[in-house]
Amino acid sequence: MANDAGVRRSSMREVARAAGVSVSTVANVLSRPAIVAPETRRRVEQAIRHMGYVRHGPARQLRGLPSPIVGSVILDLANPFFAELNRGIEDRLAEAGCLVLACSTDLQPAKERQVLDLLEEQAVRGVIIAPIGPDPAVLLEMSRRGTPVVLVDRPRDGLDLCAVGVDDVLGGRLAAEHLLSLGHRRIVYLGGTFETGTVIRRREGVRQAMRAAGLDPDDLLIDLRLPIHPPPLVEAAAAGVQQILAERPLPTAVLCLNDTAALGVLHGLGVAGVKVPQDISVVGYDNLAFAAGLAPALTTVNQPKYQLGRAAADLLLDEARPDHAHREIRFRPSLVIRASTAPPRRA
Amino acid sequence: MANDAGVRRSSMREVARAAGVSVSTVANVLSRPAIVAPETRRRVEQAIRHMGYVRHGPARQLRGLPSPIVGSVILDLANPFFAELNRGIEDRLAEAGCLVLACSTDLQPAKERQVLDLLEEQAVRGVIIAPIGPDPAVLLEMSRRGTPVVLVDRPRDGLDLCAVGVDDVLGGRLAAEHLLSLGHRRIVYLGGTFETGTVIRRREGVRQAMRAAGLDPDDLLIDLRLPIHPPPLVEAAAAGVQQILAERPLPTAVLCLNDTAALGVLHGLGVAGVKVPQDISVVGYDNLAFAAGLAPALTTVNQPKYQLGRAAADLLLDEARPDHAHREIRFRPSLVIRASTAPPRRA
DNA sequence: CTGAAAGCGCTAACAG
DNA sequence: CTGTTAGCGCTTTCAG
């Protein structure tokens, strides 16, 4: 049977009439039950239950109450890194009775613009965003117009916004230092054809580590770029193995932009008969759930994904307070050494 | 600097005043630009841009326009199965200019209730839900009160709602038939301490396959249950390996409730020095991105996750049409044979 | 083609 | 303690 479009939610007025009281009494029962006479309240509550009455959020919002909805605008919700981050956001917001409107931008600026517009129209409580590009103008305007914005995975850079992130330069440095200390001197950095600030900053960290070791990054580091978006990254990475193996002299280690890419590389190397870590070491990034379960277990850089999300939600909720001051929260990544890295063959 | 709570969005009235026209003209420029004189429209548009005016969604909703927001209530957004399903929902809805409010219930009925209430209060366009329990009463009421509900991963069973799902019984059967035809006669079914209908139905499919082969499920099948929720499933599964290895006679194959559990089992078996598939065969479920990349590559049952989501969104959007009739869409799972299954040692 | 006016469902004074 | 009232910002007839 068709869902009759004629069904209309009952309004307070109807409840009031049914209970023989005025609308404001119904409103009181809902918002400040204590001030209503027990008997009246009982009658009203019964009417509410009986008619299946449900408050109308948009009308309340129109009266000036804050929306319980927060937008979360990220690169791709199906990417486990963001999925976990988003769970952090969700859980923290739930504690405050709020809900998450999650949007994936797939690295497309047009999509980002579109969802931001939609979110602002919905008059959400605020937006948590991992922005695609470096230009914060739109975000600043949104914030100025009254929709608070919290940046994720992008440094605050003195902007008039809150921000939460991980020290990406440090992350890159940790990974590189590990490989350098094992003796690797020919390292592939597997990035993407379109790179976000995160990946760029990590590469900078890698180069920094090399310079600090008295080595020349331009000699050691081989930049390879995978088409990351439409095609499944695992497969792109598996295919990228050809390029790695074509380099001469053969690299002895690969730093991957994330664990998913590392998974693909591991697979591709396996198919090509290259042993990890004996022939080539592989390092991932993110420390996703499957990383420890791979064979060999993946050495990777851990990011506090869930905590990042919680922190972002914290900051966003704090924006509602009158004494709120924008600030930045920065987490530290950490290296997780497992079995996919070892000294190079003849070091 | 604190985000001044005093910032208020400008309203149509203000835009109208600035452009020297009436509110309804502004409204017309926004909703039916064609009927406004070019010169007037230009003036209004300029005022809009100039003041950074943004329509107020809740007010429009109050006037009767449909909300662009759809709720998605699922077990856990960080679970890759649901994350991908949700992307299907998101992408399909985006085509219709709609947004997804995604909520995880973590198998807790109380949470489910709570988000459903919140969603209904927000007067969302509809709700897509993978319900925890078998009792559809709340959902039916919601639907009756005017918030359309689409079921995911739960058969329609003649309910007055739309539903989309996968044939779970068939999925279980496919996995079991594969193992039986390889000669396995001692199979562990690794389920959860709290099981959703999906997992229960799959087990039924497994038993069906055994009966069809003239075998007694009670002889062949060993039921093992993992605590799935709070603890990370990978680790729970790795720990569960102890139980598997304690069975006598030793099982020759393990059917896991999903790929994540299979990952844990693979890892646990590796640590215990048990060879897969030589000593024990392992089958997953879902065919997640990492399944093909594991060593050994995981034999698993594929579910069309993304398509499920799209179909659910399709149905939900269709609810708005006056001639909508509730219906069910059922997908077929398929077996993906990879390297983690083989005949038992001495068959 | 443009403007005036009614009212969606609710909250928050305020008066009784 | 309960009722009356005035909008919140918008869409939508309906007159001009």
Side-chain angles (χ1 to χ4, degrees):
Chain A
M1 195 192 305
N3 182 341
D4 188 358
V7 288
R8 228 192 63 265
R9 359 188 347 147
S10 39
S11 70
M12 266 192 177
R13 231 206 339 267
E14 291 161 330
V15 174
R17 201 155 35 75
V21 297
S22 73
V23 261
S24 45
T25 297
V26 178
N28 281 337
V29 169
L30 258 22
S31 302
R32 303 116 76 176
I35 77 161
V36 180
E39 165 53 14
T40 317
R41 181 171 43 181
R42 217 196 38 71
R43 250 190 10 258
V44 173
E45 278 165 348
Q46 191 180 310
I48 287 178
R49 253 194 312 279
H50 183 67
M51 314 178 55
Y53 168 76
V54 179
R55 264 147 118 165
H56 194 262
R60 307 184 73 204
Q61 235 180 295
L62 193 52
R63 283 301 315 185
L65 301 202
S67 165
I69 300 179
V70 170
S72 161
V73 181
I74 62 201
L75 299 192
D76 176 11
L77 245 198
N79 172 330
F81 171 80
F82 288 107
E84 230 190 280
L85 180 121
N86 198 68
R87 277 304 313 250
I89 296 178
E90 182 185 353
D91 288 358
R92 176 63 187 91
L93 289 179
E95 293 168 9
C98 290
L99 258 19
V100 191
L101 200 34
C103 315
S104 305
T105 58
D106 293 323
L107 287 173
Q108 295 171 226
K111 267 196 182 173
E112 183 176 281
R113 283 294 295 256
Q114 205 180 324
V115 301
L116 285 175
D117 286 350
L118 265 171
L119 288 171
E120 192 173 1
E121 271 200 17
Q122 291 315 301
V124 296
R125 164 91 64 107
V127 169
I128 294 171
I129 180 172
I132 296 177
D135 181 13
V138 198
L139 302 173
L140 286 170
E141 273 164 30
M142 244 181 108
S143 166
R144 203 167 312 124
R145 283 193 296 260
T147 302
V149 173
V150 171
L151 259 21
V152 171
D153 249 5
R154 187 202 181 290
R156 186 176 172 201
D157 278 347
L159 294 177
D160 199 15
L161 299 172
C162 282
V164 11
V166 178
D167 187 338
D168 299 314
V169 177
L170 174 59
R173 221 165 58 210
L174 290 173
E177 283 168 357
H178 172 58
L179 290 179
L180 292 174
S181 77
L182 285 173
H184 293 274
R185 291 295 180 273
R186 187 126 181 98
I187 300 172
V188 169
Y189 185 86
L190 199 63
T193 43
F194 180 108
E195 294 186 337
T196 52
T198 350
V199 179
I200 295 171
R201 287 189 295 276
R202 286 184 215 157
R203 182 187 288 113
E204 187 41 41
V206 171
R207 301 176 64 93
Q208 225 174 68
M210 293 175 168
R211 274 186 245 109
L215 300 165
D216 181 357
D218 294 326
D219 281 1
L220 271 62
L221 197 62
I222 305 161
D223 249 305
L224 245 45
R225 294 171 183 250
L226 258 29
I228 25 184
H229 216 68
L233 183 52
V234 212
E235 293 168 25
V241 164
Q242 299 312 321
Q243 294 178 54
I244 298 176
L245 297 179
E247 292 289 333
R248 286 296 173 276
L250 204 63
T252 62
V254 184
L255 287 171
C256 305
L257 81 165
N258 64 28
D259 286 355
T260 305
L263 173 66
V265 167
L266 243 32
H267 190 67
L269 290 174
V271 169
V274 179
K275 296 262 174 281
V276 177
Q278 297 85 339
D279 300 326
I280 290 195
S281 285
V282 176
V283 180
Y285 209 101
D286 288 348
N287 193 24
L288 301 183
F290 62 76
L294 299 183
L298 188 66
T299 293
T300 188
V301 177
N302 183 61
Q303 306 206 67
K305 306 163 273 293
Y306 184 82
Q307 291 307 327
L308 264 175
R310 286 198 70 96
D314 260 339
L315 290 179
L316 189 335
L317 290 169
D318 192 71
E319 299 261 0
R321 296 182 33 177
D323 61 335
H324 173 83
H326 292 316
R327 65 182 179 285
E328 174 162 30
I329 296 181
R330 181 79 71 90
F331 290 87
R332 292 171 65 89
S334 61
L335 184 68
V336 182
I337 301 178
R338 289 199 273 245
S340 65
T341 46
R345 202 126 235 178
R346 335 155 254 201
Chain B
M1 193 193 308
N3 183 342
D4 187 358
V7 288
R8 229 193 62 266
R9 3 191 341 151
S10 39
S11 71
M12 265 191 178
R13 233 210 333 273
E14 291 160 329
V15 174
R17 201 155 34 76
V21 298
S22 73
V23 259
S24 41
T25 297
V26 178
N28 281 336
V29 168
L30 258 21
S31 301
R32 304 117 75 179
I35 77 160
V36 180
E39 165 54 14
T40 316
R41 181 172 43 183
R42 215 193 40 70
R43 254 193 2 261
V44 173
E45 279 165 348
Q46 190 181 312
I48 289 178
R49 252 194 314 280
H50 184 67
M51 315 178 57
Y53 167 76
V54 179
R55 264 147 123 167
H56 194 264
R60 305 183 74 201
Q61 235 180 294
L62 193 52
R63 283 299 311 182
L65 302 202
S67 165
I69 300 178
V70 170
S72 161
V73 181
I74 61 200
L75 300 190
D76 176 11
L77 245 199
N79 173 331
F81 171 80
F82 288 108
E84 229 188 281
L85 181 121
N86 200 68
R87 277 303 314 250
I89 296 179
E90 183 185 353
D91 288 358
R92 175 65 188 89
L93 289 180
E95 293 168 9
C98 290
L99 259 19
V100 191
L101 201 33
C103 315
S104 306
T105 57
D106 293 324
L107 286 173
Q108 294 170 231
K111 267 195 182 174
E112 182 177 282
R113 282 296 294 256
Q114 206 180 324
V115 301
L116 285 176
D117 285 351
L118 265 171
L119 288 172
E120 193 174 1
E121 273 201 15
Q122 290 316 301
V124 296
R125 169 87 135 261
V127 170
I128 295 171
I129 180 172
I132 296 176
D135 181 12
V138 199
L139 302 174
L140 286 170
E141 274 165 28
M142 244 180 108
S143 165
R144 202 167 314 122
R145 282 193 297 260
T147 301
V149 173
V150 171
L151 258 23
V152 171
D153 251 1
R154 184 197 183 293
R156 185 178 172 197
D157 279 346
L159 294 176
D160 199 16
L161 298 173
C162 282
V164 9
V166 178
D167 187 337
D168 299 314
V169 177
L170 173 59
R173 221 165 58 210
L174 290 173
E177 282 168 359
H178 172 57
L179 291 179
L180 291 175
S181 76
L182 286 173
H184 292 274
R185 291 296 179 273
R186 188 125 180 97
I187 300 172
V188 169
Y189 185 87
L190 200 64
T193 42
F194 181 107
E195 294 186 338
T196 51
T198 348
V199 180
I200 295 169
R201 287 189 296 276
R202 286 184 216 158
R203 183 187 286 113
E204 186 43 41
V206 170
R207 301 176 65 93
Q208 227 174 66
M210 292 174 167
R211 276 186 244 108
L215 300 165
D216 181 356
D218 294 325
D219 281 0
L220 273 60
L221 198 61
I222 304 161
D223 250 304
L224 244 45
R225 293 170 185 250
L226 259 28
I228 25 185
H229 218 64
L233 182 52
V234 213
E235 293 169 24
V241 164
Q242 300 310 321
Q243 294 178 55
I244 297 175
L245 297 178
E247 292 289 335
R248 287 295 173 275
L250 204 64
T252 62
V254 185
L255 287 171
C256 305
L257 81 165
N258 64 28
D259 287 353
T260 305
L263 174 66
V265 168
L266 243 31
H267 190 65
L269 289 174
V271 170
V274 179
K275 296 264 176 278
V276 177
Q278 295 86 339
D279 300 328
I280 289 194
S281 286
V282 176
V283 180
Y285 209 102
D286 288 348
N287 192 25
L288 301 184
F290 63 75
L294 300 182
L298 188 66
T299 294
T300 187
V301 177
N302 183 62
Q303 305 206 67
K305 306 163 274 291
Y306 184 82
Q307 291 306 326
L308 264 176
R310 287 197 69 97
D314 260 339
L315 290 177
L316 187 340
L317 290 170
D318 193 69
E319 298 261 0
R321 296 183 33 177
D323 61 335
H324 174 83
H326 292 317
R327 64 180 180 284
E328 175 163 30
I329 295 181
R330 180 80 71 89
F331 289 87
R332 292 171 66 87
S334 61
L335 183 68
V336 182
I337 301 177
R338 289 200 272 245
S340 66
T341 46
R345 199 126 238 176
R346 333 155 257 200

